[in-house]
Structure formats: structure tokens, C-alpha cells
Amino acid sequence: MSFTDQDIANWTRIVEIFGAIEVEIDDDTQRVVLVPIRMNVFERNLGQILADGIRSITRIDEDVHVWMDVQGDEIPAYVEEAIRLCSGCALRVILTHEDASSHPPGGRLSPGLMEMLRKAAAPGFVWHPFANKLVPSLWSDFK
């Protein structure tokens, strides 16, 4: 899959707005980027910006795993919007919020959010920050 200058611009915007960074993990064969999600981000169209950035980093590096870690009391609406906009994109995305996670181990997120994540998931595996290893994708659960 090829990427464009717009993909680079979209990912650069995520780095600037959210402070996204590459995470060092024990497995040298996997690349993980962390997108810290905060409530106090004030930017128009955050859902679209986040979705564009996630889709773009996946085009830049097809094997990347995106870890969205929600920091705060609740999951912002723009996160749900971004995930909904990524439906059918086959992404390796994991979402964590406190001790809850989109993938086991960890407590479960809301059923509606889980359904949106399933629709955006790629087949195969995704790196899990709680387990510090690859876990099965939600795609296998998609019906």
C-alpha cells in the first residue's frame, strides 16, 4: 500500500495535537505508536482528525499497531466518532481506559464502542500494552 504527502501531514497533526509517540516494546518485530487521549484537547473536528491520522499511519506502515490510551474519567465522544469513521479500514488498534481494554486482558469497554472497534479491526493480532504481547484481533469476532 502506498502513502501520500497528505498521510504524512495527517500523522504529523496527530503527533502535534495528541503527542503521539512510538513505544519501545520487547518485541523488535512489532512497531507500536501510542496516542494519548485527553479530554482537554480543544480543536475542531477532533474525531475526523484522529481518524485521518490513524488511517494515515496505517498506510505509512501497514504493520503498525496503534494504542489509544484514554487519560481521564471518560472516553471523549471524538474517540467514538474516530473509530466509527474507521469502520472497514482493517486497522490494528487497541483502546485502553484505566483498567479497561478493547482486547483481553482488562475490563471491557461499552458494547457499542466494542462493536465499532470490531468493524474497524484488521484480521490477525494486535499488540496489547497490559499483556505486553500480541493478542487476537477483534476482527475474528466480527459478525
Side-chain angles (χ1 to χ4, degrees), residues 5-32:
D5 289 342
Q6 185 61 51
D7 288 319
I8 294 169
N10 290 343
W11 180 248
T12 300
R13 192 146 188 224
I14 295 302
V15 170
E16 292 169 352
I17 292 172
F18 295 98
I21 59 168
E22 188 163 352
V23 177
E24 295 283 332
I25 61 171
D26 293 336
D27 186 343
D28 291 341
T29 66
Q30 304 299 317
R31 180 168 177 232
V32 177

Side-chain angles (χ1 to χ4, degrees), residues 80 83-84 109-119:
E80 292 187 16
I83 294 167
R84 182 183 53 75
L109 301 169
S110 74
L113 186 55
M114 291 299 297
E115 183 62 23
M116 285 187 271
L117 284 160
R118 270 190 280 283
K119 290 180 178 179

